[in-house]
Amino acid sequence: MADATPQTPPSLDEVRARIDAIDGELLRLVVERSRLAHAVAAAKASAGDGGKFGLRPAREAMLLRRLLAGPRNGARPGLIVRIWRELIGDSLATQGPFHLAVWGGKDPARAVEVARLRFGVAPSLRQVARPEEALADARALGGVGICALTADSAWWGRLLAEPKLKVFAALPCLAAWGPLSALAVAEVAIEPSGADNTFWVTDAPGGSAAIEAALSRDGVAATLLVEAGGLKLYMLAGFYQADDARLARAPGKLSGVIGAAPAPLDV
């Protein structure tokens, strides 16, 4: 058989013309999606849900995992996540109040960076001097508090006394964007996404190895994140309810689940 005739690659002008056409179609679809966000807001208002925060962390994570699992032909996970985080953030801002308060500890720039990577540019953002200010903002409708994890503050321990406030996101949401450095808190329903980590606080004395071993004997895999003010914050592999019997048997007199978040999307 004769060799197949090699195809001539498209010219640069042809490639640019195709990119321009795709850009136009992308813009049309983004505008259409934005209009649908307005329709969602109107539907919620007519159903009596207009005064509720529309944030659904588990639903977002399941959507992104589905997109990442599909054929991407070279489009990196970071590109997909950034695009849809912006779309989701804009939709939430269209539906009602949506604002961020960020406490970054000794690295405020990093905290702002991971907050924007997670929530996009649509919500307003203010930096605060103390984690208590970020938690106060999280109590307001549409408010999200983002606080750094640092040995200088046990802000997360306060959530034991505030059951309405929940950790719902671990930042950054992609392992490729760096190690876990902050948590996001809001008055939002916590639901399992299929691949989650739970955040658990205890005042158990002694070394972390003994606590982790006690949890492991009950089938709970735990990683110490930070220790401050006589409290320890652990990340548990999986989704745990606050009344889980295994955690009730865990070391410590003052302990409890303070929320859960989807695991990194690219692992």
Side-chain angles (χ1 to χ4, degrees), residues 103 105-106 148-156 225-231:
W103 177 74
K106 294 181 179 179
L149 292 176
T150 165
D152 297 334
S153 174
W155 63 263
W156 29 269
L225 294 179
V226 64
E227 182 175 0
L231 297 174

Side-chain angles (χ1 to χ4, degrees), residues 22-44:
I22 291 173
D23 286 344
E25 182 64 10
L26 284 173
L27 178 59
R28 184 189 69 78
L29 292 171
V30 168
V31 170
E32 181 179 356
R33 194 184 194 283
S34 180
R35 288 174 178 165
L36 289 173
H38 286 277
V40 168
K44 287 183 176 180

Side-chain angles (χ1 to χ4, degrees), residues 183-262:
L183 299 176
V185 178
E187 289 193 1
V188 63
I190 303 299
E191 303 167 312
S193 72
D196 303 279
N197 292 313
T198 299
F199 297 92
W200 179 73
V201 175
T202 181
D203 66 349
S208 177
I211 298 170
E212 291 175 15
L215 288 165
S216 179
R217 286 193 293 272
D218 228 345
V220 180
T223 301
L224 179 67
L225 294 179
V226 64
E227 182 175 0
L231 297 174
K232 298 178 179 69
L233 174 63
Y234 285 89
M235 183 170 68
L236 313 180
F239 187 90
Y240 289 84
Q241 300 286 352
D243 59 354
D244 191 289
R246 291 166 291 181
L247 301 183
R249 293 190 292 266
K253 295 180 179 180
L254 177 66
S255 63
V257 169
I258 60 169

Side-chain angles (χ1 to χ4, degrees), residues 127-143:
Q127 293 180 268
V128 296
R130 298 180 301 120
E132 292 81 5
E133 296 178 73
L135 297 182
D137 267 36
R139 297 184 191 104
L141 177 62

